[in-house]
Amino acid sequence: LFLVTFPFYFFFLEYRFGKTIGKFFTRTKVISNDVTELSFGQCLVRSFCRIIPFEYISGLFTSGIFWHDSIPKTLVVED
């Protein structure tokens, strides 16, 4: 159940609003590397990258860029 609802939460909110609930509070949003809105595919890949084992420590080894941003080519920027 978790493996289905967890990616869907991120996919739906980021595709619809460009941000999750936490990003509303931090006043940040997700955009494509080419500074455009996220595509359907980028949102889908970004959501499923979050369930990769050790994804949450991937930013420690890649200058703070986590796999869920580097693989779908996205950025988190101030809103």
Side-chain angles (χ1 to χ4, degrees), residues 2-11 14 40-53 55 67-68 71-72:
F2 176 76
L3 292 176
V4 174
T5 58
F6 183 71
F8 181 75
Y9 160 79
F10 284 102
F11 170 76
E14 288 176 351
F40 179 87
Q42 284 178 308
C43 288
L44 193 64
V45 171
R46 191 171 197 275
S47 299
F48 280 100
C49 281
R50 293 178 185 273
I51 59 174
I52 296 173
E55 193 276 332
W67 292 335
H68 68 266
I71 294 171

Side-chain angles (χ1 to χ4, degrees), residues 11 14 16-18 20 22 26 29 31 34 38 42 45-46 48-49 51 58-59 62 65 67 69 71 75 77:
F11 170 76
E14 288 176 351
R16 178 75 170 96
F17 303 107
T20 56
T26 60
K29 66 179 179 178
I31 60 170
D34 60 2
L38 291 176
Q42 284 178 308
V45 171
R46 191 171 197 275
F48 280 100
C49 281
I51 59 174
S58 65
T62 56
I65 301 172
W67 292 335
D69 283 325
I71 294 171
L75 299 169
V77 296

Side-chain angles (χ1 to χ4, degrees), residues 22-33:
K23 285 181 178 52
F24 278 104
F25 289 111
T26 60
R27 295 188 176 116
T28 57
K29 66 179 179 178
V30 182
I31 60 170
S32 181
N33 274 355

